[in-house]
Amino acid sequence: MNIHEYQAKALLKEYGAPVADGLPIFSADEAGAVAEKLGGPLWVVKSQIHAGGRGKGKFKEESAGEKGGVRLAFSKEEVIEFVGQMLGATLVTNQTGEAGKQVNRIYIEDGADIDRELYLSILVDRTSGRVAFVVSTEGGMDIEAVAEETPDKILTVPINPDAGVTADNAIALCDALKLEGTARDDGMHLFPILYKAFVEKDMSLLEINPLIVMENQRLRVLDAKVSFDGNALFRHPDVMALRDKTEEDAKEIEASKYDLAYVALDGNIGCMVNGAGLAMATMDIIKLYGAEPANFLDVGGGASVEKVTAAFKIITSDPNVKGILVNIFGGIMRCDVIAQGVLTAVQEVGLEVPLVVRLEGTRVEEGKKLIAESDLNVIPADDLNDAAQKIVAAVKGA
Ligand code: ADP
Ligand code: MG
């Protein structure tokens, strides 16, 4: 689960990280009062959407002006003007896709005098199997591009979970970021704080791009992106309360109601599969045969007919889906339950795209019989290879 920048900053502030004073607003008439409260003389008006690249982004509406989604304002009047232009407008960045995202919240914060922009993130590093810091002196820009063009400017520091951030770790980070004097003192203090927040709140990503050295040589968290591990959210009602459903895919919200592991993707073949491993294999083989999956979906083990029905409806409600592949290996999950779920869903919402079904395992005969006896137009398949080829052919033929 992701949260907004202003929420992430408030959370990091609780842990003692240096962030600017700022206030979120939800309607344009709050802008003047907030600008006065913060006092200026420099304000930054920041669109709050769950995507980065806002500064360099562009609004779809001409009325929002030529400037991007993060704007420096030099007077209260300018704060009001920018808020009026940006609130409700649709911002397109290199992370939103073409459709862009509507700006429903704006964060107004004190402007900082920037000396240098640095990059810092904390993530779960699969190579070391540990939580690791990733830092670079090349902050404020697209870190993927830095990784591509100048990988030597990025340092990864894995953290030993028993010891936490050691002095040696913090020194290595300070050196990589070329921090001196007061900025170095700030760094030594800040890195353990960020690590503590990451671990205690079960984050999966904490990205600060940029972390800045101000002209007074103090550090400040200028941007903050935080993602939480969805499987640990039950431990954090305070974090759950920060959820902004308007930022989430409607199909993913529906899926979460039924406890389905569902992720919307860009392709056109809808997949209904049980088990994350089989779901990944199914997506891979669809790609192997030259098409793209429209989603990742794991209905899990021992799902009810109701859950399977909901899953199938979520897939068919996606207008990008031009064909569906049901690939089930029944273990705890029973093939007849899957078949019944598919039939129930089709009775309720119809089916307008080709459907390939591959069933194997527990109660497979009962499952196949249910489908055969229905008037459902199913393309049967024998194995994974066969199933993938058939659905790709059906979608490409259509
Ligand atoms: P995004 O990464 O989505 O573009 P950022 O919060 O990183 O958004 O802002 C983009 C740029 O705007 C920053 O790299 C920085 O140069 C500038 N900026 C952002 N916040 C402030 C601030 N409080 N004071 C001064 N400049 C800022
Ligand atoms: Mg940024």
Side-chain angles (χ1 to χ4, degrees), residues 10-290:
L11 197 156
L12 294 177
K13 193 173 182 176
E14 279 173 31
Y15 278 85
V19 300
D21 287 334
L23 289 163
I25 61 171
F26 301 82
S27 81
D29 53 20
E30 297 169 70
V34 164
E36 259 168 39
K37 204 163 178 189
L38 291 171
L42 179 63
W43 296 263
V44 185
V45 183
K46 309 186 79 172
S47 308
Q48 299 296 292
I49 54 172
H50 286 184
R54 296 163 300 165
K56 294 203 174 74
K58 281 212 170 346
F59 284 95
K60 285 199 161 170
E61 296 81 358
E62 260 177 45
S63 58
E66 289 292 303
K67 295 189 177 124
V70 174
R71 301 178 180 185
L72 292 179
F74 296 91
S75 65
K76 180 181 139 188
E77 288 66 37
E78 229 178 357
V79 172
I80 295 171
E81 180 192 340
F82 291 156
V83 168
Q85 291 176 335
M86 288 154 70
L87 206 56
T90 303
L91 182 59
V92 180
T93 81
N94 61 2
Q95 293 184 12
T96 59
E98 264 171 51
K101 286 204 155 184
Q102 191 179 43
V103 177
N104 299 317
R105 305 178 187 194
I106 290 189
Y107 187 48
I108 303 178
E109 74 172 6
D110 279 342
D113 296 320
I114 303 174
D115 180 15
R116 292 197 293 138
E117 300 201 4
L118 313 171
Y119 177 91
L120 181 148
S121 63
I122 306 181
L123 42 74
V124 181
D125 177 34
R126 283 155 205 246
T127 312
S128 60
R130 290 183 166 179
V131 170
F133 280 78
V134 177
V135 295
S136 172
T137 51
E138 309 305 296
M141 42 185 124
D142 187 1
I143 195 68
E144 280 81 12
V146 180
E148 186 97 344
E149 287 152 27
T150 47
D152 52 307
K153 290 196 170 159
I154 297 180
L155 179 73
T156 301
V157 179
I159 303 301
N160 178 336
D162 290 332
V165 179
T166 62
D168 281 352
N169 293 147
I171 288 169
L173 293 167
C174 285
D175 287 346
L177 292 172
K178 300 193 165 65
L179 297 179
E180 307 287 349
T182 47
R184 194 172 179 96
D185 297 340
D186 282 355
M188 295 299 287
H189 182 65
L190 176 62
F191 304 137
I193 284 179
L194 296 177
Y195 179 79
K196 185 166 188 270
F198 184 97
V199 173
E200 279 186 4
K201 296 292 180 186
D202 288 308
M203 295 178 187
S204 55
L205 176 72
L206 166 56
E207 187 180 55
I208 300 175
N209 187 21
L211 171 70
I212 58 162
V213 182
M214 295 191 287
E215 277 173 3
N216 65 7
Q217 298 305 304
R218 302 300 304 263
L219 289 187
R220 184 178 277 179
V221 171
L222 211 69
D223 188 9
K225 175 183 176 179
V226 172
S227 307
F228 298 92
D229 180 346
N231 294 314
L233 281 175
F234 72 96
R235 303 205 279 210
H236 305 289
D238 54 329
V239 169
M240 207 104 97
L242 302 177
R243 186 169 177 191
D244 179 0
K245 288 191 178 167
T246 65
E247 290 283 335
E248 295 176 23
D249 184 294
K251 298 187 293 301
E252 290 181 12
I253 294 173
E254 183 67 15
S256 70
K257 281 190 211 155
Y258 291 91
D259 207 16
L260 292 160
Y262 173 90
V263 181
L265 300 168
D266 294 331
N268 61 10
I269 297 182
C271 305
M272 187 155 95
V273 190
N274 68 321
L278 188 59
M280 285 193 275
T282 305
M283 291 160 61
D284 280 349
I285 201 164
I286 286 172
K287 280 173 174 274
L288 181 70
Y289 287 113

Side-chain angles (χ1 to χ4, degrees), residues 376-387:
L376 198 59
N377 186 13
V378 170
I379 308 169
D382 296 325
D383 57 35
L384 183 50
N385 222 358
D386 183 41

